[in-house]
Amino acid sequence: MHPFRFLPLLLCALYSFSALHANAQSAQTPSLEPSTHAQLQHDALKTFQEKIVPFVSTYCTECHGDKKRKGGMTFRSALKTPAAAAFRKQWKLSAASLKAHDMPPEDAKKQPTAEETAVFLDWVANMKFLSAKDPGVFVIRRLNKVEYANTLHDLLGTDPAIAQELPDEVFGAGYLNSLSPLLMEQLVGIASEVVHRALPPGGQPSPLEIELFGNPPTSPQDQRETARRITLPLARKAYRRPPSDPELDVLMDVFDLAVKNGRSYPDSLRLVLKAILVSPQFLFLTPTAQPDADHPIVPLDDHQLASRLSYLLWSTMPDEELAALADAGKLRDPAVLAGQARRLLAHPRSRALFDGFGAQWLGIGKLAEKTFDPQKFPQMTGEMRQAMYEEARLFFESVMRENRSVVSFIDSDYTFLNATLAPFYGLENEVSGSAMQRVRLSNPNRGGILGMPGILATTSFPNRTSPVNRGVWVLEQVLGEHVPPAPANVPALDKQDQKKVGHLTLRQRTELHRTNPVCANCHKILDPIGFGLENFDAIGRWRDQDDQGNPIDAAGELPGEKRFSSPYELKKILALRTEDLCRNLTEKLLAYALGRQLEGYDELVVDQLTEAIAKDGYRMQTLITQIVTSYPFTHRRTQELEPAPTHAKKVAH
C-alpha cells in the first residue's frame, strides 16, 4: 500500500483547533449604559411575571401546555427561561399570530382584550433587554464551495472550476461546518490535482515553483532548515495568519516522512503544500484565540477580522493590503476596518456579496432551477433566467457601490437590461446586444426590486401568479415582518371546487378563500400587496388583463387607510417605511456576516446600527461599514453566559 495514501486524513486528526491561538486585545464598542440596560431588564422581567405569565396561562396553555401541544408548540420551557435563544422565534411567532388575530382561535372561550394584547406585543418587542451584553458564539465553519475555489485561485492561480464537482451548500444564516468522509476524499483529490497542476513534477521547475520554493539547497544538511523557512510563508498565506510553532512542526513531520520514504526535496515540499491544503486551518474559518477562563468575551484578533471581512465581501482570502494591516495590528481601529470595507466594496470582486447574500435575500438564486409551464412561458430559457439574475445583481451592486439609500431598492428610475430582457419592459427597440446596460426607466411601475421580472417570477407558481407568495415575500424579505404559518387543513386555491369557482378571477377566488375566518386575518394584509403586483404576470411581463381576459384590479388598502391602485402607488407606500427597510436589511446582512441566527442581544445591536445608519441617510455603504465594525462582528463569546433571571430584581438608582 502506498505509504502516503492516508496521510491527509491523518493530518486532519493531528491538527487541533486548540492549536489555533493568538493574543486577545481589548476594544471598545458603543452600547447601552449598564444602569440603563439594568433598568430595562428589570422592567421586562417585572412585566413578564406580572403580565405575560398570566396572559399565557389564561389564553395559550390550554392548547400549548403540558397536556396539549397543538402544532408541536408548548410554552412550558419558554415560561421558565423566557430569554433563552431557543425560544426567541417562538415568542416572535406567537406575537405575529396574536397580531393577526389567528390566536387564540375565534372559538376559544377566552379572548384577550386589546390592552392585554398590546402589553404582550410590547413585551415581545422589548424582551431583547433580558439578554446580557453578548456578541454570540463564533461559528466555526468550513469554506463553502465558492470560497474554497476562489481561495485556491488566489493562493496558487488554480482555475476555480477545479472545485465544480463539490456539492453545493444549503445557504442560510450559517453554513455547514462538517466534513463527511466523502467530502474529505473529494478535497484530498482536489488538493492533489491542484498541486500537480501548479507544481508539475519532473523537468525544469516552473516559475511558480521557483517563487514558492526557491532554489534547492546545495547541502543536504540544510534541507530541513530551508524547508521550514519556505513552509512558514506558505502556511501564513494559506492559513490567513501566522502559523504557530506546533502547526509548523506538524508540517515538518510531513516533510521528514517524505524524505524518509525516498522522496526528493521538491517532492517533499509538494507533499507539505498538499498537507496545508487539507488542513482544518485552511479549510475552516476559525477563531484564533484560546478560551479565556477569566474573560468570557474576547475581541477577534486582526487576522481573524481580515478573514471575516474578506470572505464577507469577496468570498476569498485577504489580499496583500488587508493581510499587511492585520500583521501590523491595525485592523482593530474601527476607522481602518471601515476604510478597508469601502475599498473592498469598490472592487469588482465585491459581486461576491450579491452572489452570497443578495441573491439569497431576494430569493433569485432559486430562479435557475425553478419550473415554469413551457407551453405558457417558452420565454423562460436559460438565457432569459441569466439575464434576470444579472439585472438583479447589477442593480444591487449599483445601490451598494454608489452608496445609495436603501429606499432605492424599492423605488428607483433605472435598471440593467440586454436585448433578451428588454422586451419585458417594452424597450426592445431601445436596447440591443447581449451585454447588460444601464437603462433609464420612464414607467413608474417599474424600477426597484418589486418590479423586477426575475423576482416576480420566483414568487409565482409554474403556471400563474401568486398574490399570497408575493405578499409574503414583501412582508418577510423587504419589511422584515413575521408572517404566521398557514393553518392546517385549509385547502389551496387549486383545490377549490372548480364548478363553483371556474368563472371567477384569481382575485375573486383569493377573496373567497379569505372568507374562511381562520385565513382572513393574515390574508387581509398579505393579499392587497400581492394584488398590487397583479399587473405583472407569472414571469414579470406587464399586462392589463389576466389569462381569462378579465381586467386586472390592482387596487388595495394597507393598515392606516393607505390606498393604492397600481404597483407604482404601492411602491410609494412601502418606500415610506424607510426604518423598517433598513432594519430588515441590517438584520439579514448581520446574520449572514456572523454565519448564525440573531439572538437576544443582537436586537439591541441592530437598534444601535439602525440609528447610526439613519443619521447618514440610510446609505448602503454606511449599513455595511456599521455591521463590520459592530460588536458581534469584532468580538466572540468564549464560554456560556449566565441566563437572565426569571424574577425582577430591584435596580439601584
Side-chain angles (χ1 to χ4, degrees):
M1 182 176 291
H2 197 285
F4 298 103
R5 172 168 172 74
F6 296 106
L7 180 59
L9 298 178
L10 175 62
L11 282 168
C12 282
L14 289 174
Y15 284 115
S16 169
F17 289 133
S18 64
L20 308 176
H21 71 281
N23 293 325
Q25 302 174 13
S26 61
Q28 297 293 324
T29 55
S31 62
L32 285 174
E33 290 292 333
S35 59
T36 304
H37 192 167
Q39 181 62 56
L40 292 169
Q41 185 181 74
H42 170 272
D43 294 344
L45 286 170
K46 187 171 184 290
T47 301
F48 175 74
Q49 288 297 328
E50 296 180 356
K51 303 289 186 179
I52 305 306
V53 172
F55 181 97
V56 172
S57 300
T58 302
Y59 303 113
C60 307
T61 54
E62 182 177 346
C63 295
H64 305 289
D66 291 338
K67 296 180 180 179
K68 291 184 181 180
R69 300 188 178 190
K70 288 189 176 182
M73 179 187 288
T74 175
F75 282 92
R76 179 180 181 182
S77 298
L79 289 174
K80 293 179 180 178
T81 53
F87 306 122
R88 179 177 181 266
K89 184 176 181 180
Q90 179 176 335
W91 288 115
K92 295 286 185 181
L93 288 176
S94 299
S97 295
L98 185 64
K99 187 176 181 180
H101 302 287
D102 282 345
M103 294 292 166
E106 284 194 348
D107 58 356
K109 296 179 181 178
K110 298 178 180 179
Q111 295 289 338
T113 65
E115 181 181 357
E116 289 174 316
T117 297
V119 169
F120 184 92
L121 295 177
D122 185 65
W123 180 83
V124 171
N126 289 302
M127 63 180 295
K128 57 194 174 187
F129 297 116
L130 295 176
S131 304
K133 186 176 181 180
D134 177 14
V137 297
F138 186 99
V139 177
I140 297 176
R141 66 170 182 87
R142 62 176 168 81
L143 302 182
N144 65 43
K145 179 178 177 178
V146 172
E147 293 169 337
Y148 175 73
N150 290 345
T151 304
L152 286 176
H153 174 269
D154 290 353
L155 186 65
L156 297 169
T158 311
D159 184 348
I162 198 169
Q164 65 184 0
E165 297 303 319
L166 290 177
D168 292 320
E169 283 80 8
V170 178
F171 289 98
Y175 294 88
L176 299 178
N177 58 7
S178 61
L179 278 175
S180 67
L182 176 60
L183 179 58
M184 189 65 227
E185 187 174 336
Q186 288 178 297
L187 293 172
V188 169
I190 292 174
S192 298
E193 182 64 20
V194 166
V195 173
H196 181 78
R197 289 188 191 181
L199 308 171
Q204 293 296 319
S206 66
L208 179 61
E209 182 173 339
I210 294 175
E211 178 186 341
L212 295 178
F213 297 164
N215 295 314
T218 55
S219 171
Q221 290 78 13
D222 296 334
Q223 282 190 355
R224 195 178 193 281
E225 179 182 346
T226 303
R228 189 179 181 94
R229 188 171 65 250
I230 290 170
T231 300
L232 178 61
L234 281 176
R236 162 64 184 86
K237 194 170 183 181
Y239 294 172
R240 305 168 286 271
R241 59 168 175 78
S244 65
D245 287 339
E247 289 167 342
L248 274 178
D249 291 342
V250 170
L251 295 174
M252 293 315 300
D253 288 344
V254 174
F255 178 84
D256 294 340
L257 182 60
V259 172
K260 182 179 178 180
N261 281 273
R263 292 286 187 100
S264 67
Y265 174 79
D267 280 350
S268 299
L269 285 178
R270 289 188 184 92
L271 195 62
V272 169
L273 179 57
K274 181 178 177 180
I276 288 173
L277 297 182
V278 297
S279 69
Q281 287 88 337
F282 174 73
L283 296 174
F284 286 79
L285 293 177
T286 65
T288 52
Q290 292 180 328
D292 188 337
D294 297 326
H295 298 90
I297 295 173
V298 297
L300 297 182
D301 77 358
D302 289 78
H303 295 102
Q304 187 55 48
L305 279 177
S307 290
R308 206 170 210 188
L309 180 66
S310 185
Y311 280 99
L312 170 65
L313 302 182
W314 280 9
S315 289
T316 191
M317 62 194 296
D319 64 357
E320 290 186 4
E321 181 174 333
L322 196 54
L325 287 170
D327 288 341
K330 294 182 178 180
L331 282 181
R332 292 289 190 76
D333 184 337
V336 174
L337 188 59
Q340 286 299 299
R342 286 189 288 269
R343 179 179 71 85
L344 267 59
L345 288 173
H347 195 281
R349 298 194 76 168
S350 65
R351 73 161 288 168
L353 184 61
F354 177 81
D355 293 334
F357 168 73
Q360 174 194 167
W361 166 46
L362 298 175
I364 202 168
K366 301 177 290 187
L367 182 61
E369 305 300 325
K370 187 173 175 64
T371 300
F372 293 93
D373 185 333
Q375 300 299 319
K376 294 187 68 172
F377 306 114
Q379 301 86 354
M380 291 304 290
T381 62
E383 184 181 18
M384 178 64 76
R385 295 170 195 242
Q386 184 62 32
M388 289 177 172
Y389 182 91
E390 287 299 300
E391 178 192 19
R393 178 182 70 80
L394 290 168
F395 180 74
F396 179 94
E397 290 181 6
S398 72
V399 175
M400 177 181 71
R401 294 209 179 104
E402 295 167 20
N403 201 17
R404 291 172 173 264
S405 165
V406 296
V407 178
S408 299
F409 283 118
I410 300 299
D411 193 24
S412 62
D413 61 356
Y414 70 95
T415 192
F416 295 83
L417 304 173
N418 63 3
T420 301
L421 188 55
F424 277 37
Y425 285 79
L427 298 174
E428 56 270 27
N429 296 326
E430 300 180 31
V431 179
S432 61
S434 59
M436 302 295 290
Q437 49 198 283
R438 188 166 181 149
V439 177
R440 179 74 64 178
L441 299 173
S442 58
N443 182 351
N445 291 298
R446 294 287 190 177
I449 55 179
L450 269 67
M452 282 191 178
I455 294 171
L456 291 160
T458 60
T459 52
S460 295
F461 288 128
N463 62 344
R464 66 169 176 83
T465 62
S466 172
V468 174
N469 285 353
R470 288 176 175 177
V472 170
W473 182 85
V474 171
L475 286 173
E476 292 189 334
Q477 299 305 112
V478 179
L479 298 177
E481 298 278 0
H482 291 269
V483 179
N489 304 319
V490 176
L493 289 183
D494 294 339
K495 301 297 183 181
Q496 291 175 337
D497 187 337
Q498 296 304 306
K499 293 182 180 179
K500 295 181 179 180
V501 303
H503 65 289
L504 300 178
T505 66
L506 178 60
R507 179 172 186 135
Q508 290 169 334
R509 292 171 62 189
T510 304
E511 290 174 340
L512 179 63
H513 179 78
R514 202 164 73 192
T515 58
N516 186 325
V518 177
C519 308
N521 293 314
C522 271
H523 281 272
K524 68 183 180 183
I525 299 175
L526 292 175
D527 296 350
I529 295 174
F531 291 145
L533 299 174
E534 270 294 279
N535 279 115
F536 301 112
D537 73 2
I539 59 174
R541 296 173 299 185
W542 182 264
R543 61 181 182 171
D544 294 309
Q545 298 177 331
D546 64 15
D547 295 342
Q548 286 75 42
N550 302 302
I552 295 294
D553 180 3
E557 181 179 345
L558 294 175
E561 296 186 350
K562 294 180 173 64
R563 297 181 177 86
F564 57 89
S565 59
S566 66
Y568 166 68
E569 292 177 0
L570 173 61
K571 287 196 308 177
K572 285 297 185 183
I573 293 172
L574 297 177
L576 293 175
R577 296 183 59 175
T578 311
E579 185 173 342
D580 293 331
L581 295 170
C582 179
R583 185 180 184 88
N584 172 60
L585 193 54
T586 301
E587 286 182 343
K588 285 180 165 54
L589 185 54
L590 179 61
Y592 175 78
L594 300 177
R596 62 172 176 79
Q597 297 288 344
L598 299 188
E599 300 176 354
Y601 188 77
D602 296 325
E603 289 194 49
L604 293 174
V605 173
V606 172
D607 288 345
Q608 298 160 13
L609 295 180
T610 304
E611 182 179 351
I613 296 163
K615 292 177 180 177
D616 193 36
Y618 297 98
R619 296 182 181 276
M620 189 63 179
Q621 285 191 23
T622 305
L623 186 154
I624 295 171
T625 55
Q626 284 292 323
I627 285 176
V628 301
T629 56
S630 69
Y631 182 66
F633 192 88
T634 58
H635 290 69
R636 72 181 181 98
R637 184 207 310 153
T638 62
Q639 55 188 263
E640 288 298 322
L641 302 177
E642 289 293 326
T646 56
H647 293 275
K649 296 180 180 179
K650 290 184 178 181
V651 178
H653 294 280

